[in-house]
Amino acid sequence: MATEERTFWDPDVEGLAYEAWQTYQDRLVREAVAFAYDHTQEVFRRMQRAGVTPEDVQGVRDLPQIPVLAKDSLPDLQAQHPPFGGMVSVAVHQLRRVFMSPGPIFEPEGNRPDYWRWAPALWAAGFRPGDVVHNTFAYHLTPAGAMMEEGLRAIGCVVVPGGVGNTEWQVTLMAQVQATGYVGTPSFLLTLLERGREKGLSLAVRRAFVTGAPLPPSLRRVLQDTYQIDVYQGYGTADVGNIAYECEAKAGWHIAPGVVVEIVNPATGQPVPHGEPGEVVITRPDAVYPLVRFGTGDLSALDVAPCSCGRGTPRLVGFLGRVGEGVKVRGMFVHPRQLAQALGDRPEIHRYQGVVTRVGHRDELTIRVEPSPNADIDPLRLAETLREVLKLRVTVEVVPRNTLPEDAPPLVDERTWE
Ligand SMILES: [Zn+2]
């Protein structure tokens, strides 16, 4: 019997045009809210307290009636109602695995293949059946190792469960099995490659899926240009699994099938306009661990412009930091990572520092930049670029070399409020 080759590109979700995708998102919201209200105590109680019924929530636009549940509240909630805080809809004996992340926060794995839905992300990164993939995420206690393994196995990849640490052994093993794929953090990949070079080993890695740590453009270039590795990023959490991932355009992270992402003002829980930074809040239907307005504490922004890859799903612009790291300037949050994204990889800039001051009753954000040797910086042009990234008018001040100390914090708040 001929079998069709299975793919993990889902034309009925990833191929939808933006409007049709919004209709799909509304359906996910209705499913998640109705199921979680009926099957989990936590969502039932949270909606009762807010005076909201499932009938009140017909789509994404109705979600803000329900307060956000902060991920930071899970350790207390789970301690009160062990093990999962009243958020899981099945008995423990019906699960496949139980994990514990720092917090502690306990996470369930439902009893089905690729429970966290990473296969579409790994497929988009080019992983195919028969690829030998070295997985360097932890296999103990925390779910990252198992998450990636499940996704790779769903595709049909051969997985080498490397886990963390043991650089010497890992790089030898990678060479011996001629692994063509890598999954892990980008910095550990570089460590392994450098060690392989030192030892004169012939490594075969040509494709990497990285998550869990920043991938600065400079590091991506080294991996691509020096080591000829095609690198893709994914974004997810231990609770949710796959939230978003890069396509071949590598210009933002497409929202994954099966999840609804809101970007909200962390102080109010209200959605911010597209393009503005805010907290990533997840709603997703799931027969085991349904989530309704789950506040990840991560900051990003949403880009709804069409992507050249043909996916109609909007993209997250990247990881902009954690809630609490930001500084509010004229009502807009500015985060150190936004500055790093805009400035950190420009060869003409040696150092920079954002300074928030108050002039009269108005917040001012000044970016001090030190040029690299023999480099010229056009302050007006740079201010225009920053304005696009930060959605805020800023002043750029070019300062002489060695004005800013080497350990200058990237963003300081010099406002006084007396
Ligand atoms: Zn794309």
Side-chain angles (χ1 to χ4, degrees):
M1 193 174 76
T3 52
E4 260 180 62
E5 196 201 338
R6 185 167 180 200
T7 85
F8 288 84
W9 150 262
D10 184 352
D12 295 335
V13 176
E14 294 172 279
L16 294 175
Y18 180 53
E19 289 71 26
W21 182 79
Q22 285 179 300
T23 306
Y24 162 73
Q25 294 275 288
D26 288 340
R27 178 162 65 75
L28 294 182
V29 167
R30 289 193 297 272
E31 275 178 33
V33 170
F35 183 85
Y37 184 89
D38 285 344
H39 293 87
T40 75
Q41 292 168 25
E42 191 282 322
V43 170
F44 177 78
R45 281 196 294 256
R46 185 153 40 104
M47 287 178 63
Q48 286 259 305
R49 278 198 300 272
V52 182
T53 68
E55 292 70 39
D56 296 331
V57 186
Q58 292 299 311
V60 176
R61 74 161 61 88
D62 301 322
L63 280 174
Q65 299 172 69
I66 305 172
V68 172
L69 176 76
K71 177 166 175 145
D72 285 350
S73 65
L74 290 193
D76 285 346
L77 190 64
Q78 293 186 342
Q80 279 163 28
H81 308 279
F84 298 117
M87 295 174 70
V88 167
S89 59
V90 300
V92 173
H93 73 261
Q94 293 170 290
L95 296 173
R96 186 150 155 168
R97 296 185 180 103
V98 176
F99 295 95
M100 188 183 79
S101 294
I105 297 175
F106 293 92
E107 292 108 3
E109 177 186 353
N111 200 359
R112 62 170 190 262
D114 193 23
Y115 172 71
W116 292 279
R117 306 161 292 99
W118 281 106
L122 294 158
W123 186 267
F127 289 93
R128 293 296 179 269
D131 288 352
V132 177
V133 183
H134 197 82
N135 179 12
T136 66
F137 280 118
Y139 275 80
H140 285 147
L141 287 178
T142 59
M147 277 192 173
M148 292 302 154
E149 164 137 357
E150 290 285 323
L152 291 164
R153 289 299 305 135
I155 289 174
C157 297
V158 180
V159 182
V160 182
V164 293
N166 303 308
T167 308
E168 291 294 320
W169 280 102
Q170 300 237 29
V171 73
T172 305
L173 179 58
M174 279 166 93
Q176 283 178 338
V177 302
Q178 287 290 286
T180 54
Y182 168 90
V183 171
T185 64
S187 48
F188 191 52
L189 174 57
L190 184 64
T191 300
L192 290 169
L193 294 166
E194 286 172 346
R195 190 64 58 88
R197 253 193 196 183
E198 282 162 29
K199 293 167 76 86
L201 295 171
S202 164
L203 298 177
V205 178
R206 289 293 167 265
R207 187 174 304 285
F209 184 79
V210 299
T211 182
L215 176 66
S218 51
L219 177 53
R220 164 126 65 187
R221 270 200 305 275
V222 169
L223 294 171
Q224 285 184 177
D225 299 347
T226 309
Y227 294 98
Q228 287 79 51
I229 296 174
D230 204 6
V231 184
Y232 292 81
Q233 296 182 84
Y235 164 61
T237 73
D239 332 85
V240 182
N242 179 12
I243 295 174
Y245 52 89
E246 277 184 336
C247 63
E248 64 271 24
K250 299 179 183 175
W253 310 336
H254 285 281
I255 306 289
V259 295
V260 174
V261 173
E262 292 173 279
I263 303 293
V264 312
N265 177 329
T268 65
Q270 294 301 305
V272 299
H274 291 328
E276 288 187 11
E279 182 179 6
V280 176
V281 170
I282 303 294
T283 298
R284 66 105 187 261
D286 187 76
V288 174
Y289 196 14
L291 294 171
V292 173
R293 298 206 92 208
F294 178 76
T296 60
D298 295 331
L299 298 160
S300 190
L302 204 58
D303 179 358
V304 299
C307 180
S308 60
C309 74
R311 286 178 179 78
T313 51
R315 287 163 285 165
L316 295 174
V317 301
F319 179 65
L320 300 179
R322 292 281 300 167
V323 169
E325 281 179 350
V327 173
K328 218 172 183 185
V329 182
R330 297 200 292 277
M332 290 284 292
F333 274 100
V334 176
H335 297 275
R337 274 177 206 276
Q338 285 177 285
L339 295 181
Q341 227 177 26
L343 302 173
D345 206 48
R346 287 172 170 263
E348 74 273 23
I349 296 177
H350 178 59
R351 282 182 196 141
Y352 66 88
Q353 181 175 55
V355 182
V356 188
T357 54
R358 204 151 168 89
V359 180
H361 290 287
R362 194 175 164 77
D363 298 330
E364 297 286 346
L365 175 57
T366 304
I367 312 293
R368 296 181 185 144
V369 290
E370 268 186 40
S372 299
N374 306 317
D376 264 334
I377 295 174
D378 177 348
L380 292 178
R381 237 173 100 183
L382 189 57
E384 196 47 47
T385 305
L386 284 162
R387 184 190 178 133
E388 277 166 32
V389 174
L390 305 174
K391 315 285 175 201
L392 263 181
R393 199 181 47 72
V394 308
T395 307
V396 171
E397 182 189 341
V398 180
V399 298
R401 290 268 294 169
N402 303 318
T403 304
L404 299 171
E406 193 181 340
D407 57 353
L411 184 58
V412 292
D413 190 348
E414 292 184 350
R415 289 172 293 190
T416 51
W417 299 97
E418 66 268 15

